[in-house]
Amino acid sequence: MNSVSSPRDGNRHYRFVFYLVVIMISRVTTSCGFLLSSPPARRRSHELFRRHYYNSRSFFSRRDSSGVVRSPVVVVDSRVRTLHELSSSSAQQQETQREELTEEEKVELSTAIQTKGDEIRALKDGGASKDDIAPLVQELLALKAKLDPSSVKPPKKKQQQQQGKKKKKQQQQQTPKPTNPDAESDYITPRAENFSKWYNDIIRAASLAESSPVRGSMVIKPWGMSLWDAIRTDLDTRIKRHGAENAYFPLLIPQSFLSKEAEHVDGFAKECAVVTHHRLASLPGDDGALGPDPAAKLDEPLVIRPTSETIIWSTFRKWIASYRDLPLKVNQWANVMRWEMRTRPFLRTSEFLWQEGHTAHATGESALEDATAMSSQYAALARELLAMPVVEGAKSPRERFAGAEETFTIEALMPNGWALQSGTSHFLGKSFGTAFDVTFQNEVGEREVVW
C-alpha cells in the first residue's frame, strides 16, 4: 500500500529513527553496565540516558501534551529578535514621518481633529448609538496618530484578552440573556448608574428607533412602528365607539390663523417652524449651493402644524349651521412639529406622531363631559393595553393647554421618580368658537357660539 506523508509526518518519522538509534545504543551500554556494575551504578546509567534523551529533544520541534507543535528554543529566540528589530524599525519610521510634517500640515490635522471631535460630541448629545459613533472614533484616533503617534497608546495585553473573550462570548450568544436591569451588562447601561443612558440603550438594543440627520427627529424602525400600530388600533376603536369619525387636515397652517387666539399663539410661538418660500434656486457661485428663491417668497408665511385647533375650527365654521349638526366629533391621526430645544426619543422630539380629537357642542356641559370621558379612555388604554398604571387629574392653570379652560391629564410615574404626561384632554370653552366665529342656530332660532 502506498501512502503520502505530509512534511510534518516526515519530520516525525526522522525523529523517531533518531530516537530509536539513541535508545538502542543506550540500551547496549546500559546492559554492559548491568553486568559489570552494582545497582547504584545501573541507576546512574539510567539517569545519564534520561538526560541525554531529553536534552536531544530540545533541538527539534515536538508536540506537547495538548497536541500543539512547539518550535525549538533556538528558532523562537531568533524570531523574537527579528520581531524586536521590526518594532524598532517601525517606531523609527513613524518618528521620521512625524518630523517630516510641515507646520501647515500640523495645523490642518489639528483642525480636522477638533472638527471630528465636535461631530462626535454632537452625535452623543443627540442620542446616537455606539455603533453609529464607533467609525467616527476610529477616524479621530487615526488623525491623532498621524499628528502624534505617541498620543495613541496601544491596548494592553490584558485589555486585548478581555476584548477577545467579550467578542467570543457575543458571537456564541445569538441574543443577550435577560438580566436584572440594575446589574452589569455588555449591552445596556445599568439603570441605577445612568437612567438617561439606560433609556437610550434600551431603545437601541430593542431596535425601536435611531437618530436622523434632522436635529431632534428620529427614524422609527419597524419594531417601534409596530408598537405604535398596536396602540393606534386599540385607541382608534375606542374613539369610534365614542362617536368620532376620522378626518385629515392640512400640514401647513396660515400664520394669521395662529394670531386669532391670543393665548394659543403665545403658547406655541417659540416652537413653530415656518415656511416662507415655495421654491429653491442656485445661489451665486460655482459650488452649486441651493437657497430660497427670492422670487418665490410666499405672500403669507405658513406654519408647520404644532397642533391643529386653528385649521380645524376654521373648517368647523363651514360645517356647522344648526343645532342639528351638533355635537360634531372628528379625530385626526397625524404628525406635528414643535421645535424642541432638548429632545429624547419617543418622549420629546421635534416631529412626532399623535392623535388629536376635536369636538363642537351646543352646551358647555356636553363639551366638559366629552373631555373627561376621553381622558378616562386614555387611562383605560394605558392600564388595559400597556399594563401601565397612571394617575388621573387636572393640570394647574400654569400647565394648561394654551387657550383651554381646563386640561385633564393622565400621569405615569417613571422609575427615577419623575411624572410623565401620557395623555391630555382639554375643555376649550368658547375660546376657539369665538376666535373663528363658529356659531349655530339653536332650537328657538337664535345664533349661539359653539362650545
Side-chain angles (χ1 to χ4, degrees):
M1 180 181 292
N2 295 328
S3 63
V4 179
S5 300
S6 66
R8 182 175 296 176
D9 294 332
N11 290 338
R12 289 168 57 191
H13 171 70
Y14 297 143
R15 288 202 302 274
F16 173 74
V17 171
F18 173 80
Y19 296 149
L20 182 60
V21 172
V22 171
I23 291 170
M24 290 175 65
I25 296 173
S26 300
R27 289 291 186 184
V28 172
T29 305
T30 305
S31 298
C32 295
F34 284 163
L35 298 175
L36 302 175
S37 62
S38 61
R42 290 197 296 271
R43 284 195 296 271
R44 285 195 298 272
S45 298
H46 275 295
E47 181 66 22
L48 288 172
F49 164 72
R50 188 183 64 81
R51 290 181 182 177
H52 174 73
Y53 173 71
Y54 284 105
N55 287 341
S56 66
R57 293 182 66 186
S58 64
F59 292 97
F60 299 89
S61 59
R62 62 185 185 275
R63 291 181 182 269
D64 61 11
S65 58
S66 63
V68 178
V69 176
R70 303 296 183 183
S71 296
V73 177
V74 176
V75 175
V76 172
D77 289 342
S78 65
R79 291 178 180 175
V80 169
R81 284 195 297 271
T82 303
L83 180 61
H84 283 304
E85 291 173 359
L86 290 174
S87 299
S88 301
S89 175
S90 177
Q92 291 174 0
Q93 290 178 359
Q94 290 179 355
E95 186 66 23
T96 303
Q97 291 175 357
R98 187 166 66 90
E99 291 175 355
E100 291 176 356
L101 290 176
T102 63
E103 289 298 325
E104 183 178 352
E105 290 174 336
K106 291 180 180 179
V107 171
E108 290 179 358
L109 283 172
S110 299
T111 304
I113 290 171
Q114 183 176 358
T115 302
K116 189 63 65 176
D118 293 340
E119 183 180 356
I120 293 172
R121 281 189 289 273
L123 286 174
K124 288 183 177 179
D125 294 340
S129 66
K130 292 182 180 179
D131 294 337
D132 295 335
I133 298 175
L136 299 179
V137 173
Q138 294 300 323
E139 294 177 13
L140 178 62
L141 293 176
L143 290 172
K144 289 183 176 181
K146 191 173 181 181
L147 179 63
D148 183 6
S150 63
S151 65
V152 183
K153 297 181 180 179
K156 296 181 180 179
K157 184 176 180 180
K158 186 175 182 181
Q159 292 177 343
Q160 290 177 336
Q161 292 175 349
Q162 291 176 347
Q163 291 174 357
K165 291 179 180 178
K166 181 178 177 181
K167 186 176 181 180
K168 185 177 180 181
K169 183 177 180 181
Q170 290 177 352
Q171 291 175 347
Q172 291 175 347
Q173 296 176 341
Q174 294 294 333
T175 55
K177 296 180 180 179
T179 58
N180 184 347
D182 291 331
E184 292 293 334
S185 171
D186 291 339
Y187 306 94
I188 300 171
T189 301
R191 186 174 62 189
E193 178 183 311
N194 188 325
F195 183 79
S196 297
K197 185 67 168 58
W198 168 81
Y199 176 79
N200 290 330
D201 286 349
I202 287 289
I203 293 174
R204 171 188 54 79
S207 193
L208 299 180
E210 62 183 35
S211 58
S212 77
V214 181
R215 188 194 70 82
S217 298
M218 63 178 178
V219 176
I220 303 177
K221 303 174 80 171
W223 274 108
M225 198 64 191
S226 66
L227 296 177
W228 172 245
D229 288 342
I231 295 172
R232 182 177 59 187
T233 299
D234 185 282
L235 184 56
D236 193 65
T237 301
R238 296 173 186 272
I239 290 171
K240 289 176 180 177
R241 191 185 304 140
H242 187 67
E245 296 179 298
N246 284 334
Y248 185 81
F249 297 86
L251 172 70
L252 300 176
I253 301 173
Q255 184 174 296
S256 59
F257 279 28
L258 269 71
S259 304
K260 290 187 177 183
E261 215 291 320
E263 291 185 21
H264 191 68
V265 69
D266 288 342
F268 289 101
K270 295 180 180 180
E271 300 177 349
C272 291
V274 184
V275 178
T276 57
H277 294 72
H278 65 81
R279 185 173 61 235
L280 296 176
S282 299
L283 297 176
D286 298 331
D287 55 357
L290 294 175
D293 186 350
K297 187 174 183 180
L298 298 175
D299 294 334
E300 179 181 2
L302 299 175
V303 177
I304 299 176
R305 62 173 168 232
T307 182
S308 300
E309 276 76 12
T310 56
I311 191 72
I312 289 178
W313 276 90
S314 70
T315 305
F316 277 1
R317 182 182 179 184
K318 296 182 290 183
W319 289 1
I320 298 173
S322 167
Y323 69 92
R324 296 183 180 88
D325 299 322
L326 301 174
L328 176 61
K329 302 179 182 182
V330 296
N331 176 66
Q332 174 177 236
W333 294 96
N335 61 333
V336 294
M337 172 70 73
R338 297 179 185 177
W339 209 258
E340 300 282 358
M341 296 303 295
R342 295 182 179 180
T343 60
R344 192 176 300 279
F346 292 110
L347 296 182
R348 182 181 292 272
T349 52
S350 296
E351 179 190 5
F352 55 94
L353 303 177
W354 81 342
Q355 161 272 329
E356 53 180 323
H358 299 268
T359 62
H361 300 264
T363 64
E365 292 78 7
S366 175
L368 183 60
E369 180 183 354
D370 196 83
T372 55
M374 275 313 302
S375 181
S376 298
Q377 288 295 326
Y378 290 151
L381 179 140
R383 296 187 182 111
E384 296 169 9
L385 177 66
L386 306 179
M388 182 176 71
V390 292
V391 176
E392 299 179 66
K395 290 283 192 181
S396 65
R398 186 176 64 85
E399 294 178 313
R400 287 174 186 162
F401 178 78
E405 292 187 11
E406 196 72 78
T407 291
F408 303 99
T409 181
I410 61 171
E411 306 278 331
L413 187 64
M414 294 192 293
N416 65 348
W418 296 353
L420 176 64
Q421 176 181 296
S422 304
T424 54
S425 182
H426 315 289
F427 172 57
L428 301 178
K430 290 186 176 182
S431 57
F432 284 91
T434 301
F436 287 89
D437 193 25
V438 183
T439 61
F440 70 100
Q441 187 178 37
N442 61 22
E443 295 181 1
V444 296
E446 298 176 348
R447 303 297 300 181
E448 290 186 33
V449 176
V450 301
W451 293 80

